[in-house]
């Protein structure tokens, strides 16, 4: 069953689309970083790391910011599309009948598709990060990772991580980011068990995600933040502090896992109980 | 006799189902025994697909009892699917996969490990062996339909439920499908329930047929019982002959003004008819038995039902 799902996913060309989009995104980010270095900093920060020019504005900074933006906007959209294809797509095309006319329980079908989505989430996170680091290394060069307080709230005070320490933190960011992405996948599955058209399902889930993300970011709604999973999603950023708050990190991971479990339980409940007309 | 031999494959008693205010099925009864081929017939919207989807556990019955191999389909659909195979219309397949990939992967769900020979044989059975490795997107509608039938045959089920399996098939493929189904019944004792609009096929293939109209059972029995042979006569004066026959105590079932009168078979013989009409000065021009096709018989029933209902 898993090999069948993998074959279908590969032939659907969704992985190719995701990979192409990530490459395009990184090219845009690279252009953005070069432009910023040339025009915005007035030549104070050179976007290049060499032995002679050990700039804080280097390939690791590029990788972190690329991963951060990609994680918040691109990966959720691809994951939502994946979930919509798995449930709403199979429903709309009628192939759900093809699967369910086999001795296969809906719970098992859901579990297989969820497992594949978890693999996709981890693969997307790892792929984006690896590619960001590679582009950062080849096009700019790696140095120490210095983060300063700014509009992106990556940190509230200057953080300095030596290159090797930063690379370990990058590696740790993948599983933590995957946990966060699974809550988006949970939302995607939930919507696609209700909305039977895959385009509508993906659109609805994306809209819900963006609305919750925006609400979580606006100070006016601060009382709502604890109830929105999007408030916790960028929690893995604390890995890039000099001293990691591990209890806080795991607490946020648990909350995200709780949101994922809630969404997925509701989705499974709906899928098991619904009629297929 | 084993348990499976005596246990009905399908047993439906007093099935009701509605969609909002619309009653899709009303008190439908159906029984399909092992080795039996049953045809499900009716106009569009008569409830055929709803019945098949209830049997497959995709829809919940709202009244009555539904069992497939003694199991409630909606409660235990995947247990039902261990012994039954359903193929719904239109054929839904993965365009980017090949027929062989469909067979290979789908037949493995549930633990079956088919050999390549078994898969090739299933494709050859439906005439798709030479397209085994082409993408489904390149297959015609009829070929997709045949692939769905091949998928239903691996592994061999005890019950085969086919929704409009002849849709999109050319006449040769229809005949081949008929042979396949008869062979499955005769060699493997498989029970088959198929819905179809091709009444010629139904007449030649099924042991029993269930005709639905607006969710009600219009007819249930062997096709031969639906077809009533009648007497048709042509006369020199249509209306006068009709009156003469009725005055003679003979009921005229139907008439086509200016062409023929139809009586129950055996209601009179040629000499009696000639004598009765001759006495009224009417010439009998033709007197013969008429056996309607299943299609004609069905249309007649449907018209009669419509007159009663409306």
């Amino acid at each position: 069953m898993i090999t069948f799902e993998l074959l279908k996913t590969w032939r659907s060309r969704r992985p190719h689309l995701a990979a192409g989009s990530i490459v395009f995104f990184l090219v845009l980010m690279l252009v953005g970083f070069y432009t910023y270095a040339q025009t915005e900093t007035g030549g104070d920060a050179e976007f290049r790391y060499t032995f002679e020019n050990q700039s804080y504005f280097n390939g690791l900074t590029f990788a972190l910011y690329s991963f951060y933006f990609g994680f918040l906007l691109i990966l959720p959209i691809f994951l939502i599309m994946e979930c919509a294809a798995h449930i709403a797509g199979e429903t709309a095309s009628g192939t759900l009948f093809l699967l369910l006319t086999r001795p296969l329980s809906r719970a098992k079908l859901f579990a297989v598709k969820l497992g594949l989505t978890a693999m996709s989430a981890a693969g997307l996170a790892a792929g984006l990060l690896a590619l960001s680091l590679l582009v950062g290394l080849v096009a700019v060069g790696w140095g120490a990772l210095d983060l300063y307080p700014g509009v992106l709230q990556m940190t509230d005070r200057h953080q300095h991580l030596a290159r090797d320490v930063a690379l370990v933190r990058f590696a740790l960011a993948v599983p933590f980011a995957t946990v966060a992405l699974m809550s988006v996948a949970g939302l995607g599955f939930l919507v696609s068990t209700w909305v039977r058209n895959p385009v509508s399902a993906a659109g609805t889930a994306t809209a819900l995600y963006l609305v919750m993300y925006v609400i979580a970011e606006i100070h006016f709604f601060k009382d709502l933040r604890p109830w929105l999973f999007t408030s916790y999603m960028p929690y893995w950023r604390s890995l890039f502090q000099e001293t990691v708050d591990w209890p806080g990190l795991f607490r946020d991971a648990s909350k995200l896992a709780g949101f994922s479990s809630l969404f997925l339980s509701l989705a499974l409940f709906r899928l098991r109980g619904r009629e297929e007309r | 006799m084993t348990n499976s031999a005596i246990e009905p494959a399908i047993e439906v008693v007093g099935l009701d189902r509605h969609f909002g205010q619309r009653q899709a099925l009303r008190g439908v009864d159906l029984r399909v025994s092992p080795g039996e081929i049953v045809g499900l017939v009716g106009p569009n919207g008569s409830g055929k697909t709803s019945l098949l989807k209830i049997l497959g556990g995709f829809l919940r019955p709202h009244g009555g009892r539904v069992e497939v191999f003694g199991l409630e389909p909606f409660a235990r659909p995947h247990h039902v699917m261990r012994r039954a195979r359903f193929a719904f219309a239109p054929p839904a397949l993965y365009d980017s996969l090949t027929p062989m990939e469909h067979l290979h992967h789908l037949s493995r769900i549930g633990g079956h490990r088919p050999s390549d020979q078994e898969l090739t044989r299933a494709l050859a059975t439906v005439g798709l062996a030479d397209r085994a490795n082409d993408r489904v997107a390149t297959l015609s509608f009829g070929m997709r339909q045949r692939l769905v039938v091949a998928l239903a045959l691996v592994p061999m089920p005890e019950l085969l439920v086919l929704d409009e399996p002849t849709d999109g098939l050319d006449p040769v493929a229809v005949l081949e499908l008929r042979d396949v189904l008869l062979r499955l019944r005769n060699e493997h004792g498989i029970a088959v329930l198929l819905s179809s609009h091709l009444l010629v096929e139904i007449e030649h293939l099924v042991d029993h047929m269930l005709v639905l109209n607006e969710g009600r059972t219009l007819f249930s029995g062997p096709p031969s019982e639906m077809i009533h042979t009648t007497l048709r006569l042509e006369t020199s004066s249509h209306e006068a002959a009709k009156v003469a026959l009725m005055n003679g105590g003979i009921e005229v079932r139907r008439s086509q003004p200016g062409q023929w009168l139809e009586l129950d078979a055996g209601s009179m013989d040629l000499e009696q008819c000639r004598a009765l009409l001759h006495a009224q000065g009417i010439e009998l021009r033709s007197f013969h038995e008429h056996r309607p096709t299943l299609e004609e018989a069905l249309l007649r029933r449907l018209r009669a039902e419509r007159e009663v209902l409306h």
Side-chain angles (χ1 to χ4, degrees):
Chain A
M1 186 67 198
I2 288 174
T3 51
F4 187 41
E5 289 296 324
L6 280 171
L7 178 66
K8 277 157 47 185
T9 303
W10 183 252
R11 292 275 176 82
S12 71
R13 299 196 181 275
R14 288 194 305 275
H16 307 73
L17 178 68
S21 301
I22 285 172
V23 168
F24 180 62
F25 166 71
L26 288 178
V27 169
L28 287 180
M29 284 294 288
L30 202 56
V31 170
F33 265 64
Y34 277 123
T35 313
Y36 182 80
Q38 284 170 5
T39 59
E40 297 294 322
T41 69
D44 290 347
E46 192 179 346
F47 185 42
R48 175 174 294 278
Y49 185 90
T50 60
F51 187 73
E52 296 81 17
N53 174 36
Q54 297 191 348
S55 170
Y56 84 96
F57 206 38
N58 61 43
L60 288 190
T61 323
F62 168 80
L64 179 58
Y65 279 92
S66 298
F67 184 64
Y68 179 63
F69 289 131
F71 166 83
L72 283 179
L73 289 172
I74 297 182
L75 303 193
I77 291 173
F78 281 116
L79 261 189
I80 285 170
M81 280 170 58
E82 192 69 23
C83 299
H86 278 313
I87 305 288
E90 299 258 22
T91 306
S93 66
T95 47
L96 192 65
F97 282 112
L98 200 61
L99 296 172
L100 294 178
T101 51
R102 297 277 153 181
L104 175 69
S105 70
R106 293 184 189 209
K108 187 174 176 188
L109 176 70
F110 188 81
V112 170
K113 288 182 176 292
L114 178 61
L116 203 71
T117 305
M119 284 166 61
S120 296
L124 282 168
L128 173 62
L129 186 58
L131 209 55
S132 304
L133 286 168
L134 184 66
V135 170
L137 176 65
V138 173
V140 189
W142 289 350
L145 183 63
D146 282 284
L147 297 174
Y148 296 95
V151 287
L152 294 174
Q153 300 166 353
M154 196 69 84
T155 177
D156 53 4
R157 63 182 179 84
H158 173 233
Q159 305 286 336
H160 174 85
L161 297 177
R163 189 187 63 187
D164 292 349
V165 173
L167 287 173
V168 171
R169 302 287 173 84
F170 272 117
L172 287 172
V174 171
F176 283 104
T178 303
V179 170
L181 288 172
M182 284 312 291
S183 56
V184 181
L187 178 69
F189 271 114
L190 179 57
V191 173
S192 72
T193 55
W194 284 94
V195 181
R196 291 168 186 253
N197 179 302
V199 178
S200 306
T204 306
T206 304
L208 282 171
Y209 167 72
L210 290 176
V211 165
M212 283 191 266
Y213 172 70
V214 169
I215 288 177
E217 290 295 309
I218 297 175
H219 182 71
F220 186 72
F221 296 107
K222 68 180 172 52
D223 289 345
L224 283 178
R225 281 181 188 162
W227 306 101
L228 300 172
F229 74 94
T230 44
S231 308
Y232 307 101
M233 277 193 67
Y235 76 113
W236 52 267
R237 286 180 307 185
S238 62
L239 282 167
F240 295 91
Q241 307 283 318
E242 286 165 9
T243 308
V244 178
D245 172 18
W246 291 106
L249 198 69
F250 282 107
R251 191 176 55 243
D252 285 350
S254 307
K255 286 178 183 170
L256 284 164
F259 277 109
S260 305
S261 305
L262 176 67
F263 293 148
L264 291 169
S265 303
L266 290 172
L268 179 60
F269 178 75
R270 165 72 179 152
L271 182 68
R272 290 184 70 181
R274 79 179 192 181
E275 294 187 326
E276 306 299 336
R277 294 187 181 179
Chain B
M1 192 177 275
T2 63
N3 274 346
S4 63
I6 51 169
E7 175 189 49
I10 295 174
E11 185 149 49
V12 175
V13 180
L15 173 62
D16 289 325
R17 168 73 206 199
H18 55 80
F19 295 100
Q21 297 294 311
R22 191 174 68 80
Q23 189 81 27
L25 293 166
R26 308 160 196 249
V28 172
D29 297 334
L30 171 67
R31 187 184 168 95
V32 182
S33 301
E36 192 179 23
I37 301 182
V38 175
L40 186 57
V41 176
N44 293 333
S46 58
K48 302 188 298 293
T49 301
S50 295
L51 173 58
L52 298 186
K53 285 189 174 170
I54 287 171
L55 292 172
F58 295 104
L59 293 177
R60 198 184 272 114
H62 289 159
R65 182 165 59 86
V66 179
E67 288 181 358
V68 179
F69 295 115
L71 300 166
E72 282 181 51
F74 194 80
R76 303 173 76 185
H78 57 288
H79 292 279
V80 167
M81 297 306 172
R82 289 193 187 283
R83 299 173 70 180
R85 196 64 31 76
F86 287 69
F88 289 99
L93 297 158
Y94 299 101
D95 281 351
S96 60
L97 305 188
T98 67
M100 188 56 98
E101 286 167 341
H102 274 86
L103 272 170
H104 176 81
H105 291 286
L106 286 168
S107 62
R108 284 172 167 249
I109 298 173
H112 184 64
R113 293 284 177 272
S115 64
D116 287 348
Q117 212 176 4
E118 189 181 353
L119 301 182
T120 309
R121 199 167 47 236
L123 286 174
T125 302
V126 296
L128 279 181
D130 58 333
R131 302 296 301 268
N133 296 308
D134 292 347
R135 295 272 170 107
V136 163
T138 66
L139 303 184
S140 68
F141 184 86
M143 288 173 177
R144 294 166 72 102
Q145 189 74 277
R146 284 190 269 163
L147 175 56
V148 167
V149 174
L151 286 169
L153 300 181
V154 186
M156 195 65 80
E158 294 172 59
L159 167 67
L160 195 53
V161 179
L162 303 172
D163 185 15
E164 307 286 0
T166 50
D167 258 15
L169 297 190
D170 58 57
V172 176
V174 171
L175 287 176
E176 285 171 357
L177 178 65
R178 187 208 298 178
D179 290 343
V180 168
L181 295 179
L182 285 172
R183 212 165 56 235
L184 289 173
R185 190 264 300 271
N186 298 337
E187 294 175 9
H188 301 278
I190 291 176
V192 180
L193 173 64
L194 79 155
S195 79
S196 179
H197 289 297
L198 269 189
L199 295 175
V200 177
E201 283 315 303
I202 290 282
E203 189 175 358
H204 286 102
L205 188 62
V206 308
D207 307 301
H208 189 100
M209 64 186 274
L210 173 68
V211 181
L212 295 178
N213 185 39
E214 297 185 18
R216 300 169 197 269
T217 300
L218 186 63
F219 172 82
S220 178
S224 58
E225 281 184 12
M226 190 162 187
I227 299 168
H228 296 294
T229 304
T230 55
L231 284 177
R232 274 197 180 176
L233 34 144
E234 292 169 27
T235 63
S236 56
S237 174
H238 185 86
E239 285 306 314
K242 196 172 173 181
V243 173
L245 286 165
M246 287 164 73
N247 288 342
I250 306 295
E251 191 176 352
V252 177
R253 287 283 175 197
R254 293 168 69 231
S255 68
Q256 185 70 33
Q259 292 183 30
W260 44 258
L261 297 162
E262 201 167 86
L263 319 176
D264 285 337
S267 57
M268 64 196 313
D269 62 27
L270 174 62
E271 285 313 313
Q272 283 175 315
C273 184
R274 184 180 288 156
L276 193 148
L277 294 176
H278 186 71
Q280 302 299 319
I282 303 164
E283 182 191 349
L284 180 63
R285 291 176 177 166
S286 161
F287 182 95
H288 61 270
E289 279 197 341
H290 173 72
R291 188 180 188 278
T293 62
L294 185 61
E295 196 169 52
E296 286 171 331
L298 177 65
L299 284 174
R300 199 174 295 171
R301 289 247 183 175
L302 285 171
R303 282 196 199 108
E305 167 95 346
R306 206 163 293 152
E307 279 166 19
V308 170
L309 289 175
H310 306 291

